[in-house]
Amino acid sequence: MAYVRFLGHAAFEIGLSGKRILVDPWLTNPMSPVKPEEVGPVDLIVVTHDHGDHTGEAAEILRRNPQCKLVAVYETAERIGRSARSGQAIGANIGGPVKLGDLEVVLVPALHSSSSGAPSGAVIIGREGAVYHAGDTGLTMEMKLVGELYRPKVALLPIGGHFTMGPREAAKAVELIEPEVAIPMHYGTFPVLWGTPEEFKRLVEERGLRTRVVVLKPGERFEF
Ligand code: NI
Ligand code: MN
């Protein structure tokens, strides 16, 4: 059984191909149901870009899980991996599929900024299908390619506005990607992230798309 569990803000735990994956593990976010030290064994961490609300406790979790790998854009992986064991951080780049046993990770374009490297989204492909975590991004036509090439079952999309897409842009993103399920993220953590899942859901429904919007409370999971 594959699953996606929302850990607040842009942090997700994903179960695919029997592996436990964390994306953007800022587990000290105000909504997080789990503390970094309670997260347990992790096989893979993916970080979309080098902003503190996305790198989070990645380095600490890597140190505590010697077998865990991290995939990020090269310079960001290098920076996070400095305090980890050699070989744990795998620097990749946008558009280059990385093979990790039964998992494949593809970093994809994101319209944003990053303190190191470049910002990205990530497509994580396992036996049960693909999950697309868009990272922090504005709306971009690149999303249409992500949809066509990887056919994600689940798309995790920022809707908070200000730094990323708001509900209007994210609803258009759903039309470009055409995932089976869209799960909103990156809203409500701070007052400035004003977008609401209710508005996002309404705008997706207004477009008459087949995609189902699933709103997860922090700690909840969606299985597929
Ligand atoms: Ni950011
Ligand atoms: Mn962010």
Side-chain angles (χ1 to χ4, degrees), residues 22-26 44-65 68-92 107 114-118 120:
L22 293 180
V23 183
D24 287 356
W26 180 38
L44 174 67
I45 299 171
V46 178
V47 170
T48 60
H49 67 292
D50 193 358
H51 283 161
D53 59 320
H54 297 261
T55 53
E57 290 74 46
E60 179 186 334
I61 298 165
L62 266 188
R63 280 197 299 277
R64 206 174 295 118
N65 289 272
C68 181
K69 305 285 189 198
L70 172 132
V71 171
V73 163
Y74 191 87
E75 292 79 5
T76 299
E78 194 174 51
R79 189 163 151 175
I80 298 170
R82 263 178 216 152
S83 62
R85 292 162 188 81
S86 79
Q88 277 194 283
I90 301 170
L107 301 175
S114 184
S115 313
S116 65
S120 71

Coordinates of all heavy atoms in Angstrom, one line a residue, residues 22-26 44-65 68-92 107 114-118 120:
L22 N 10.9 11.0 3.2 CA 10.5 12.3 3.7 C 10.8 13.3 2.6 O 11.9 13.4 2.1 CB 11.2 12.7 5.0 CG 10.9 11.8 6.2 CD1 11.7 12.4 7.4 CD2 9.4 11.9 6.6
V23 N 9.9 14.2 2.3 CA 10.1 15.3 1.5 C 10.0 16.6 2.3 O 9.1 16.8 3.0 CB 9.1 15.4 0.3 CG1 9.5 16.5 -0.7 CG2 9.1 14.1 -0.5
D24 N 11.0 17.5 2.1 CA 11.1 18.8 2.8 C 10.8 18.7 4.3 O 9.8 19.3 4.8 CB 10.1 19.8 2.1 CG 10.7 20.2 0.7 OD1 11.8 19.8 0.4 OD2 10.0 21.0 0.0
P25 N 11.7 17.9 5.0 CA 11.3 17.6 6.4 C 11.6 18.7 7.4 O 12.5 18.6 8.3 CB 12.2 16.4 6.6 CG 13.5 16.7 5.8 CD 12.9 17.4 4.6
W26 N 10.8 19.8 7.3 CA 10.8 20.8 8.4 C 9.8 20.3 9.4 O 8.6 20.7 9.3 CB 10.4 22.1 7.8 CG 10.4 23.2 8.8 CD1 11.3 23.4 9.9 CD2 9.5 24.3 8.9 NE1 11.0 24.5 10.6 CE2 9.9 25.1 10.0 CE3 8.4 24.7 8.1 CZ2 9.2 26.3 10.4 CZ3 7.7 25.9 8.5 CH2 8.1 26.6 9.6
L44 N 14.9 7.5 2.6 CA 15.2 8.6 1.6 C 14.6 9.9 2.0 O 13.5 10.0 2.5 CB 14.7 8.2 0.2 CG 14.8 9.2 -0.9 CD1 16.3 9.4 -1.3 CD2 14.0 8.7 -2.1
I45 N 15.4 10.9 1.9 CA 14.9 12.3 2.1 C 15.1 13.0 0.7 O 16.2 12.9 0.1 CB 15.8 13.1 3.1 CG1 15.7 12.4 4.5 CG2 15.3 14.5 3.3 CD1 16.6 12.9 5.6
V46 N 14.1 13.8 0.3 CA 14.2 14.6 -0.8 C 14.0 16.1 -0.4 O 13.0 16.3 0.3 CB 13.2 14.2 -1.9 CG1 13.3 15.2 -3.1 CG2 13.4 12.8 -2.4
V47 N 14.9 17.0 -0.8 CA 14.7 18.4 -0.4 C 14.6 19.2 -1.7 O 15.5 19.1 -2.6 CB 15.9 18.9 0.4 CG1 15.9 20.4 0.6 CG2 15.9 18.2 1.8
T48 N 13.5 20.0 -1.8 CA 13.3 20.6 -3.1 C 14.1 21.9 -3.3 O 14.4 22.2 -4.4 CB 11.8 21.1 -3.2 OG1 11.5 21.9 -2.1 CG2 10.9 19.8 -3.2
H49 N 14.5 22.6 -2.2 CA 15.3 23.8 -2.4 C 15.8 24.2 -1.0 O 15.3 23.8 0.0 CB 14.6 24.9 -3.1 CG 13.4 25.5 -2.4 ND1 12.3 24.8 -2.1 CD2 13.2 26.7 -1.8 CE1 11.4 25.5 -1.5 NE2 12.0 26.7 -1.2
D50 N 16.8 25.1 -1.0 CA 17.5 25.4 0.2 C 16.9 26.7 0.9 O 17.6 27.7 1.0 CB 19.0 25.7 -0.2 CG 19.9 25.8 1.0 OD1 19.4 25.7 2.1 OD2 21.1 26.0 0.8
H51 N 15.7 26.5 1.3 CA 15.0 27.5 2.2 C 14.7 26.7 3.5 O 14.4 25.6 3.4 CB 13.8 28.1 1.6 CG 14.0 29.2 0.5 ND1 13.1 29.6 -0.4 CD2 15.2 29.9 0.3 CE1 13.6 30.5 -1.2 NE2 14.9 30.7 -0.8
G52 N 14.9 27.4 4.6 CA 14.8 26.8 5.9 C 13.5 26.0 6.1 O 13.5 25.0 6.8
D53 N 12.4 26.5 5.5 CA 11.1 25.8 5.7 C 11.0 24.5 4.9 O 10.0 23.9 4.9 CB 9.9 26.7 5.5 CG 9.9 27.4 4.1 OD1 11.0 27.7 3.6 OD2 8.8 27.5 3.6
H54 N 12.1 24.2 4.1 CA 12.1 23.0 3.3 C 13.3 22.1 3.7 O 13.1 20.9 3.8 CB 12.1 23.4 1.8 CG 10.9 24.1 1.5 ND1 9.8 23.5 0.8 CD2 10.5 25.4 1.7 CE1 8.8 24.4 0.7 NE2 9.3 25.6 1.2
T55 N 14.5 22.7 3.9 CA 15.6 21.8 4.4 C 15.3 21.3 5.8 O 15.6 20.2 6.1 CB 16.9 22.6 4.4 OG1 16.7 23.8 5.1 CG2 17.4 22.9 3.0
G56 N 14.7 22.2 6.6 CA 14.3 21.7 7.9 C 15.4 21.0 8.7 O 16.5 21.4 8.8
E57 N 15.0 19.8 9.2 CA 15.9 19.0 10.0 C 16.5 17.8 9.1 O 16.9 16.8 9.7 CB 15.2 18.4 11.2 CG 14.8 19.4 12.2 CD 13.6 20.3 11.8 OE1 12.6 19.8 11.3 OE2 13.7 21.6 12.0
A58 N 16.6 18.1 7.8 CA 17.2 17.0 6.9 C 18.5 16.5 7.4 O 18.8 15.3 7.5 CB 17.3 17.5 5.5
A59 N 19.4 17.4 7.8 CA 20.8 17.0 8.2 C 20.8 16.2 9.4 O 21.4 15.1 9.5 CB 21.7 18.3 8.4
E60 N 19.9 16.6 10.4 CA 19.8 15.8 11.6 C 19.3 14.4 11.4 O 19.7 13.4 12.0 CB 18.9 16.7 12.5 CG 18.6 16.1 13.9 CD 17.5 16.9 14.6 OE1 17.4 18.1 14.4 OE2 16.8 16.3 15.5
I61 N 18.2 14.3 10.6 CA 17.6 13.0 10.3 C 18.6 12.1 9.5 O 18.7 10.9 9.8 CB 16.3 13.2 9.5 CG1 15.3 14.0 10.4 CG2 15.7 11.8 9.1 CD1 14.1 14.5 9.6
L62 N 19.4 12.7 8.6 CA 20.4 11.9 7.9 C 21.4 11.4 8.9 O 21.8 10.2 8.8 CB 21.2 12.9 6.9 CG 20.8 12.9 5.5 CD1 21.8 13.8 4.7 CD2 20.6 11.6 4.8
R63 N 21.9 12.2 9.8 CA 22.9 11.8 10.8 C 22.3 10.6 11.7 O 23.1 9.7 12.0 CB 23.3 12.9 11.7 CG 24.3 13.9 11.1 CD 25.0 14.7 12.2 NE 24.0 15.6 12.9 CZ 23.6 16.8 12.5 NH1 24.0 17.2 11.3 NH2 22.7 17.5 13.2
R64 N 21.1 10.7 12.0 CA 20.5 9.6 12.8 C 20.1 8.3 12.0 O 19.9 7.3 12.6 CB 19.2 10.2 13.5 CG 18.9 9.4 14.8 CD 17.8 10.0 15.6 NE 18.0 11.4 16.1 CZ 17.3 12.4 15.7 NH1 16.3 12.3 14.9 NH2 17.6 13.6 16.2
N65 N 20.1 8.4 10.7 CA 19.8 7.2 9.9 C 20.9 7.0 8.9 O 20.9 7.4 7.8 CB 18.5 7.5 9.1 CG 17.3 7.5 9.9 OD1 16.6 6.5 10.1 ND2 16.9 8.7 10.4
C68 N 20.2 6.1 5.4 CA 19.3 7.0 4.6 C 20.1 7.8 3.6 O 21.2 8.3 3.8 CB 18.6 7.9 5.6 SG 17.5 9.1 4.9
K69 N 19.5 8.0 2.4 CA 20.1 8.8 1.3 C 19.3 10.1 1.3 O 18.1 10.2 1.7 CB 20.0 8.1 0.0 CG 20.6 6.7 -0.1 CD 22.1 6.8 -0.1 CE 22.7 5.5 -0.3 NZ 24.2 5.4 0.1
L70 N 19.9 11.1 0.7 CA 19.2 12.4 0.4 C 19.4 12.7 -1.0 O 20.6 12.6 -1.6 CB 19.8 13.5 1.3 CG 19.3 14.9 1.0 CD1 18.8 15.6 2.3 CD2 20.3 15.7 0.3
V71 N 18.4 13.1 -1.7 CA 18.5 13.6 -3.1 C 18.0 15.1 -3.1 O 17.0 15.4 -2.6 CB 17.6 12.8 -4.1 CG1 17.6 13.4 -5.4 CG2 18.2 11.3 -4.1
A72 N 18.9 15.9 -3.7 CA 18.5 17.3 -3.9 C 19.4 17.8 -5.1 O 20.3 17.1 -5.5 CB 18.8 18.1 -2.6
V73 N 19.1 19.0 -5.5 CA 20.0 19.7 -6.5 C 21.4 19.7 -6.0 O 21.6 19.9 -4.8 CB 19.5 21.0 -6.9 CG1 20.5 21.9 -7.6 CG2 18.2 20.9 -7.8
Y74 N 22.4 19.5 -6.8 CA 23.8 19.3 -6.4 C 24.3 20.1 -5.3 O 24.7 19.6 -4.2 CB 24.7 19.4 -7.6 CG 26.1 18.9 -7.4 CD1 26.4 17.6 -7.6 CD2 27.1 19.8 -6.9 CE1 27.7 17.1 -7.3 CE2 28.3 19.3 -6.6 CZ 28.6 18.0 -6.8 OH 29.9 17.5 -6.5
E75 N 24.2 21.4 -5.4 CA 24.8 22.3 -4.4 C 24.1 22.3 -3.1 O 24.7 22.4 -2.0 CB 24.8 23.8 -4.9 CG 25.8 24.0 -6.1 CD 25.2 23.6 -7.5 OE1 24.1 23.1 -7.6 OE2 26.0 23.6 -8.5
T76 N 22.8 22.0 -3.2 CA 22.0 21.9 -1.9 C 22.3 20.6 -1.2 O 22.4 20.6 0.0 CB 20.5 22.1 -2.3 OG1 20.3 23.3 -2.9 CG2 19.6 21.9 -1.1
A77 N 22.4 19.5 -2.0 CA 22.8 18.2 -1.4 C 24.2 18.3 -0.7 O 24.4 17.8 0.4 CB 22.8 17.2 -2.5
E78 N 25.1 19.0 -1.4 CA 26.4 19.2 -0.9 C 26.4 19.9 0.5 O 27.0 19.5 1.5 CB 27.3 19.9 -1.9 CG 28.8 19.9 -1.6 CD 29.5 20.5 -2.7 OE1 29.2 21.7 -3.1 OE2 30.5 19.9 -3.2
R79 N 25.6 20.9 0.5 CA 25.5 21.8 1.7 C 24.9 21.0 2.9 O 25.4 21.0 4.0 CB 24.7 23.0 1.4 CG 24.7 24.0 2.5 CD 24.2 25.4 1.9 NE 23.6 26.1 2.9 CZ 23.1 27.4 2.8 NH1 23.2 28.0 1.6 NH2 22.6 28.0 3.8
I80 N 23.8 20.3 2.6 CA 23.1 19.5 3.7 C 23.9 18.3 4.1 O 24.0 18.0 5.2 CB 21.7 19.1 3.2 CG1 20.8 20.3 2.9 CG2 21.1 18.2 4.3 CD1 19.5 19.9 2.2
G81 N 24.7 17.8 3.1 CA 25.4 16.5 3.4 C 26.7 16.7 4.1 O 27.3 15.7 4.5
R82 N 27.1 18.0 4.3 CA 28.4 18.2 4.9 C 28.6 17.6 6.3 O 29.6 17.1 6.7 CB 28.6 19.7 5.1 CG 29.5 20.3 4.0 CD 29.6 21.8 4.1 NE 29.6 22.4 2.8 CZ 29.2 23.6 2.5 NH1 28.8 24.4 3.5 NH2 29.2 24.1 1.3
S83 N 27.5 17.5 7.0 CA 27.5 16.9 8.4 C 27.1 15.5 8.4 O 27.1 14.9 9.5 CB 26.7 17.7 9.3 OG 25.3 17.7 8.9
A84 N 26.8 14.9 7.2 CA 26.4 13.5 7.2 C 27.6 12.6 6.8 O 28.7 13.1 6.5 CB 25.3 13.4 6.2
R85 N 27.4 11.3 6.7 CA 28.4 10.4 6.3 C 28.6 10.5 4.7 O 27.7 10.9 4.0 CB 28.0 9.0 6.6 CG 28.0 8.7 8.1 CD 27.2 7.4 8.4 NE 27.1 7.3 9.9 CZ 26.1 7.9 10.6 NH1 25.3 8.8 10.0 NH2 26.1 7.7 11.9
S86 N 29.8 10.3 4.3 CA 30.0 10.4 2.8 C 29.2 9.4 2.1 O 29.0 8.3 2.5 CB 31.5 10.3 2.5 OG 31.9 8.9 2.4
G87 N 28.6 9.8 1.0 CA 27.8 9.0 0.2 C 26.3 9.1 0.5 O 25.5 8.6 -0.2
Q88 N 26.0 9.7 1.7 CA 24.5 9.8 2.0 C 23.8 10.8 1.1 O 22.7 10.6 0.7 CB 24.4 10.2 3.5 CG 24.5 9.0 4.4 CD 24.0 9.4 5.8 OE1 24.7 10.1 6.6 NE2 22.8 9.1 6.2
A89 N 24.5 11.9 0.9 CA 23.8 13.0 0.1 C 24.1 12.8 -1.4 O 25.3 12.7 -1.8 CB 24.3 14.4 0.6
I90 N 23.1 12.7 -2.2 CA 23.3 12.4 -3.6 C 22.9 13.7 -4.4 O 21.7 14.1 -4.4 CB 22.4 11.3 -4.1 CG1 22.8 10.0 -3.3 CG2 22.5 11.1 -5.6 CD1 21.8 8.8 -3.6
G91 N 23.9 14.4 -4.9 CA 23.6 15.6 -5.7 C 23.1 15.2 -7.1 O 23.7 14.4 -7.8
A92 N 22.0 15.8 -7.5 CA 21.4 15.5 -8.8 C 21.2 16.8 -9.4 O 21.7 17.9 -9.0 CB 20.2 14.7 -8.7
L107 N 14.1 15.3 -10.2 CA 13.9 16.7 -9.8 C 13.4 17.5 -11.1 O 14.0 17.3 -12.2 CB 15.3 17.3 -9.3 CG 15.8 16.6 -8.1 CD1 17.2 17.2 -7.8 CD2 14.9 16.7 -6.9
S114 N 16.5 30.0 -4.4 CA 17.1 29.0 -3.5 C 18.4 29.6 -3.1 O 19.1 30.3 -3.9 CB 17.3 27.7 -4.2 OG 17.8 26.7 -3.4
S115 N 18.8 29.4 -1.8 CA 20.1 30.0 -1.3 C 21.3 29.3 -1.9 O 22.3 29.8 -2.0 CB 20.2 29.8 0.2 OG 19.0 30.2 0.8
S116 N 21.1 28.0 -2.3 CA 22.1 27.3 -3.0 C 21.5 26.5 -4.2 O 20.3 26.3 -4.1 CB 22.9 26.3 -2.1 OG 22.0 25.3 -1.7
G117 N 22.3 26.2 -5.2 CA 21.7 25.4 -6.3 C 20.6 26.1 -6.9 O 20.5 27.4 -7.1
A118 N 19.6 25.4 -7.4 CA 18.4 25.9 -8.0 C 17.2 25.3 -7.3 O 17.3 24.2 -6.8 CB 18.4 25.6 -9.5
S120 N 13.6 23.3 -7.1 CA 13.1 22.2 -7.9 C 11.8 21.8 -7.3 O 11.4 22.1 -6.1 CB 14.1 21.1 -7.9 OG 14.1 20.4 -6.7

